[in-house]
Amino acid sequence: MSEKSKMFLSGVVEGFYGRPWTMNQRMELFRREQKWGLNTYLYAPKDDYKHRMYWRDLYSLEEADQLMALICAAKEHGVEFIYAISPGLDITFSNPKEVAALKRKLSQVSEFGCRSFALLFDDIETEMCGADKEAFSSFADAQVSVTNEVFQHLEEPQIFLFCPTDYCAAFCTPSVQLSKYLNTVGEKLHPGVNILWTGPKVVSNDISVASVEEVSAVLKRPPVIWDNIHANDYDPQRLFLGPFKNRPAELIPKLRGVLTNPNCEFEPNFVAVHTLATWCKSSPGQKDVSMDGEDQSSDYDPHEALQLALTEWLLEFGRADSPDDSRSRGARSKREASDEEPMQTDGHVPGPKDNPLYTAEPLTLEDLTLLSELFYLPYEHGPTAVAMLNQLHWLRSNSAAATTGAVTSECEEVNEWRQRAEKFDDMCAAVVQMFNRLSNVPNRRILYDLYNYICDIKSGVSLARAFVKTLGGGTPHPCMIINDDPEPWGFRGGLSGEFQRMLPCHGNRDLFRTPPATRVYTIRPSTAEDQPAVMKLFKEMNAETQHTVELIGDRLVEGLVPSSSNCNVILEDEAGLCGYVFALADAKSVMTKAQYPEAMLRDFPSVMSVQIHPKVPDPTLAKRLIGQVLSSLRESGSQGVYLEFRSSDRRMMDFLKTLNFFQVLRVDGLPANLVVVGTKL
């Protein structure tokens, strides 16, 4: 195995939807990667026509010159350039002309000096056309066949990546281990081809060693992580400036590499790429980590990594030029040696009674830290953002104290409210100050990448600030008054915001959680009078499911088999029944034949049937309902419980995944249209 084939791939994938980066931005990325010790760039911009939509078209002479320059620049900076192509939108896998077109395109790029490639089949429809159905037994077989043929056509490059359609655990049915698609890929894809994987989800909050070991066993090789933790192409109001985190450095020897697919805007990715580089260095031997390297403990600290990145990024804000400028690096270096602040140069000197010249306040590390904490990560706000939300929530919930009367030493509630309001006002003022300082930085290209985001947060904070001032009896600026006829900035979000506010689940995934103030739910034992409502919910939830297999759980719900003691509970709200759980401690006692192996029934002797209406948005209610029955089964002496449902019931599979109670069980002889999950007690 060559050194390159053992190399741990670390770097950046340009794989987002939206405007691709410019050639100069990519060259600046190579410079940064070399400086920070990263070694890979994966070219995969979704909206590059000839990468995805018009993948068959060869590059023109002008385009070829640009790509050759880019490939050459990457090589000069010690960065492996991987060219990716995404033909999955409309390729006919069984058509030799289509495969020939794919080979011709990649051969052209090979002539540009590119030696590493990737075939991507992400974000495409999984239904094969008629011709492919006749030629291949499955979608995975079709993809693997073409990938292997292209790999061999390119003379088996040392670095060749494959992105599966099921590229995260959430897409795998019924699970990673039992996914027919992934198992086919693992068994039939050439062992020299490496596989991209995003983790448990498309945007994974954390990626554990156990999850990587699980998928590696199925793929029969360690994956390359395509990490979307800093990607923002799915939400134009969010930017991510927090550190690379929730990925233990112990993963490094268990992976083929990690590539971050960051924000669409180039300049803000300084933090994402810098902290990834720090993470990679936290394990010994980063540059040449091999697959048989030892598993080392990590000294990586996300907070420290973030401060290192922000400290270095701060220097970039003071530079008046940028990667796109035509001025030389020499001129840039000359300016870097000067500490002079930008100043007006027209010779104007204000008179004694004139306004003084405007002097921009310099941006500080504290400002950048605040910026990062306001635009942190997909699943969490930074500490300052959390503190502001907590403070505002408290001030709103205790607003009665704000108008109680004059502040006196005896009026502790009023004193506390006023003190908290003042603290909140100071925090808002710091955001506005940060905005003003950013607006005046010499490096306008960084500013322009940030401007829409910082303008939005400044407006939101200013509205909250005015609201608190109103609660305290003050009078905010007229343009910030919240009333029935506000200015347009008083109702943010546009049409998309209005759609979201009309949805029943709006707000239930906010990162800052406030106590629910809507429905009241009741959990109680089921009675005979509940049977009509139970059957109504049962039929409604199974209306689109093929009832070709008899389930014991169905017989429990229908009342044909009695539930065990304390194992029949329902969930109801003011509108009526909206969920149920029925269970039987000894499932074998009602089986007419040996439906399941003895070994399974020894470990999971009890059976359960669960149904929760989709109108119940909070999964904690389902967990409480199920947990109550699991406790009863445990008290009866049961060692485990299983739950069966039809494989066509995708809603049930997605619902069970949110609970983290059950694992898919491997059962010999199980019908193909049946899924069994279980949990030990």
Side-chain angles (χ1 to χ4, degrees):
M1 185 179 288
S2 69
E3 288 301 311
K4 182 178 286 189
S5 62
K6 291 191 296 183
M7 179 177 69
F8 183 85
L9 304 178
S10 61
V12 177
V13 49
E14 184 183 345
F16 50 81
Y17 291 88
R19 178 184 295 177
W21 293 333
T22 66
M23 301 298 282
N24 283 314
Q25 285 173 332
R26 291 164 182 154
M27 291 183 182
E28 172 65 11
L29 173 65
F30 301 156
R31 187 187 71 81
R32 293 177 182 177
E33 286 194 275
Q34 181 182 40
K35 179 180 179 182
W36 299 335
L38 300 173
N39 58 30
T40 303
Y41 166 74
L42 175 57
Y43 177 88
K46 290 289 191 294
D47 289 309
D48 177 339
Y49 276 164
K50 293 187 178 180
H51 158 76
R52 187 173 173 87
M53 188 176 297
Y54 300 132
W55 60 269
R56 299 172 184 83
D57 293 359
L58 297 177
Y59 287 107
S60 65
L61 289 176
E62 182 180 357
E63 292 166 337
D65 286 342
Q66 287 187 322
L67 270 177
M68 282 190 283
L70 202 60
I71 293 166
C72 183
K75 186 175 182 180
E76 288 175 359
H77 288 90
V79 174
E80 190 68 31
F81 183 99
I82 304 176
Y83 176 84
I85 191 167
S86 186
L89 289 177
D90 60 0
I91 187 174
T92 299
F93 293 93
S94 57
N95 188 333
K97 292 182 179 179
E98 293 278 77
V99 179
L102 186 56
K103 293 177 181 177
R104 183 169 60 250
K105 178 68 167 284
L106 293 177
S107 293
Q108 183 195 31
V109 177
S110 178
E111 292 171 0
F112 300 160
C114 182
R115 294 295 175 262
S116 300
F117 300 89
L119 262 182
L120 311 183
F121 294 106
D122 55 323
D123 302 343
I124 59 174
E125 294 296 328
T126 58
E127 184 68 22
M128 289 192 292
C129 66
D132 287 343
K133 286 180 180 179
E134 293 177 1
F136 300 105
S137 59
S138 70
F139 198 41
D141 277 301
Q143 292 179 359
V144 167
S145 174
V146 169
T147 302
N148 287 342
E149 187 172 342
V150 169
F151 179 66
Q152 290 164 354
H153 169 76
L154 294 170
E155 299 180 352
E156 301 187 3
Q158 293 179 351
I159 298 176
F160 193 97
L161 306 180
F162 168 86
C163 184
T165 305
D166 292 356
Y167 54 78
C168 65
F171 288 0
C172 297
T173 302
S175 67
V176 170
Q177 289 183 333
L178 300 182
S179 166
K180 292 181 180 178
Y181 175 91
L182 278 193
N183 275 283
T184 299
V185 170
E187 292 167 4
K188 297 184 178 181
L189 190 65
H190 192 288
V193 177
N194 288 288
I195 300 173
L196 292 160
W197 183 252
T198 67
K201 301 169 66 176
V202 177
V203 180
S204 296
N205 185 24
D206 54 68
I207 301 176
S208 68
V209 171
S211 71
V212 166
E213 290 175 340
E214 178 186 44
V215 74
S216 297
V218 175
L219 298 178
K220 304 190 185 319
R221 70 205 80 192
V224 175
I225 297 296
W226 171 311
D227 207 320
N228 288 318
I229 193 63
H230 285 95
N232 71 335
D233 54 356
Y234 55 85
D235 190 341
Q237 290 184 304
R238 303 181 74 188
L239 184 74
F240 301 116
L241 304 176
F244 189 80
K245 64 179 298 192
N246 297 335
R247 286 99 170 100
E250 289 76 17
L251 283 172
I252 292 177
K254 298 180 182 296
L255 295 172
R256 181 71 170 84
V258 177
L259 305 176
T260 180
N261 178 38
N263 298 283
C264 299
E265 297 80 6
F266 175 77
E267 293 295 346
N269 290 320
F270 196 101
V271 173
V273 181
H274 194 289
T275 56
L276 171 63
T278 303
W279 179 84
C280 289
K281 293 172 186 173
S282 65
S283 186
Q286 177 269 336
K287 289 188 177 180
D288 293 298
V289 175
S290 63
M291 294 303 101
D292 56 355
E294 293 183 2
D295 192 355
Q296 302 288 336
S297 61
S298 168
D299 58 354
Y300 177 75
D301 184 298
H303 176 73
E304 291 180 3
L306 176 61
Q307 288 303 303
L308 283 173
L310 294 177
T311 300
E312 190 171 338
W313 196 25
L314 181 62
L315 301 176
E316 298 290 323
F317 285 85
R319 294 170 178 159
D321 62 337
S322 71
D324 283 353
D325 285 332
S326 58
R327 289 167 287 185
S328 69
R329 288 282 178 192
R332 169 175 169 166
S333 300
K334 192 172 182 179
R335 271 193 306 281
E336 288 175 8
S338 172
D339 292 328
E340 294 182 6
E341 294 292 331
M343 58 181 293
Q344 299 183 48
T345 58
D346 63 358
H348 172 71
V349 178
K353 296 183 179 181
D354 292 346
N355 279 326
L357 289 176
Y358 177 80
T359 303
E361 294 183 7
L363 189 70
T364 67
L365 181 59
E366 289 73 23
D367 292 322
L368 277 191
T369 300
L370 174 59
L371 177 68
S372 171
E373 293 186 358
L374 297 179
F375 297 95
Y376 203 62
L377 290 171
Y379 294 97
E380 60 179 311
H381 297 304
T384 300
V386 172
M388 293 182 75
L389 289 167
N390 277 320
Q391 203 73 272
L392 178 59
H393 177 63
W394 188 92
L395 290 166
R396 187 182 63 182
S397 301
N398 296 274
S399 59
T403 55
T404 300
V407 178
T408 65
S409 57
E410 293 81 15
C411 193
E412 294 183 3
E413 291 183 356
V414 175
N415 268 312
E416 182 181 7
W417 197 95
R418 300 272 172 96
Q419 289 170 4
R420 283 179 175 253
E422 184 176 346
K423 184 176 181 180
F424 181 74
D425 192 79
D426 290 343
M427 297 170 87
C428 293
V431 175
V432 175
Q433 178 178 259
M434 176 267 292
F435 171 85
N436 291 334
R437 289 174 175 173
L438 273 170
S439 298
N440 290 295
V441 295
N443 194 326
R444 310 308 285 174
R445 294 194 181 276
I446 300 181
L447 170 66
Y448 298 151
D449 274 358
L450 292 171
Y451 191 79
N452 286 344
Y453 300 101
I454 62 174
C455 184
D456 184 62
I457 194 62
K458 177 206 169 192
S459 297
V461 163
S462 297
L463 285 169
R465 191 181 188 187
F467 173 66
V468 171
K469 189 172 184 179
T470 302
L471 289 179
T475 304
H477 190 281
C479 71
M480 290 294 172
I481 294 177
I482 300 175
N483 55 31
D484 292 336
D485 186 26
E487 295 279 3
W489 49 81
F491 47 97
R492 310 180 69 77
L495 180 60
S496 176
E498 295 200 33
F499 277 129
Q500 291 179 33
R501 285 188 288 274
M502 292 177 69
L503 302 179
C505 60
H506 177 65
N508 76 332
R509 287 300 299 159
D510 284 348
L511 302 187
F512 177 75
R513 306 295 180 84
T514 56
T518 51
R519 293 191 185 123
V520 175
Y521 293 91
T522 301
I523 296 176
R524 64 172 177 81
S526 174
T527 67
E529 288 74 20
D530 296 316
Q531 189 61 24
V534 168
M535 288 305 301
K536 180 181 178 183
L537 178 61
F538 171 76
K539 292 177 180 178
E540 180 181 353
M541 294 297 98
N542 290 281
E544 298 180 0
T545 304
Q546 296 294 325
H547 290 245
T548 55
V549 180
E550 184 185 60
L551 306 181
I552 296 177
D554 292 352
R555 294 161 63 194
L556 275 170
V557 175
E558 293 166 351
L560 301 176
V561 171
S563 302
S564 295
S565 177
N566 299 320
C567 291
N568 54 334
V569 294
I570 65 169
L571 177 72
E572 61 183 0
D573 60 11
E574 63 272 15
L577 187 141
C578 51
Y580 60 75
V581 176
F582 296 96
L584 179 63
D586 183 10
K588 190 176 178 181
S589 65
V590 297
M591 290 184 180
T592 56
K593 58 181 179 179
Q595 292 179 243
Y596 298 112
E598 284 290 335
M600 185 200 115
L601 293 175
R602 278 197 303 270
D603 293 334
F604 304 95
S606 303
V607 63
M608 174 184 288
S609 179
V610 178
Q611 199 60 259
I612 304 292
H613 198 285
K615 74 177 182 179
V616 181
D618 188 355
T620 58
L621 291 166
K623 289 182 179 181
R624 287 175 57 196
L625 194 70
I626 295 171
Q628 185 170 320
V629 175
L630 292 179
S631 295
S632 297
L633 289 172
R634 191 180 298 112
E635 290 174 4
S636 73
S638 176
Q639 297 180 349
V641 60
Y642 73 89
L643 187 154
E644 52 191 355
F645 60 95
R646 298 165 183 89
S647 58
S648 59
D649 193 350
R650 182 72 196 192
R651 190 195 65 81
M652 178 60 74
M653 172 59 75
D654 293 340
F655 164 68
L656 292 176
K657 283 183 178 180
T658 66
L659 302 180
N660 292 321
F661 269 144
F662 301 96
Q663 298 293 325
V664 177
L665 303 181
R666 291 180 177 269
V667 181
D668 294 335
L670 189 71
N673 58 351
L674 195 63
V675 178
V676 177
V677 299
T679 184
K680 292 291 187 68
L681 298 177

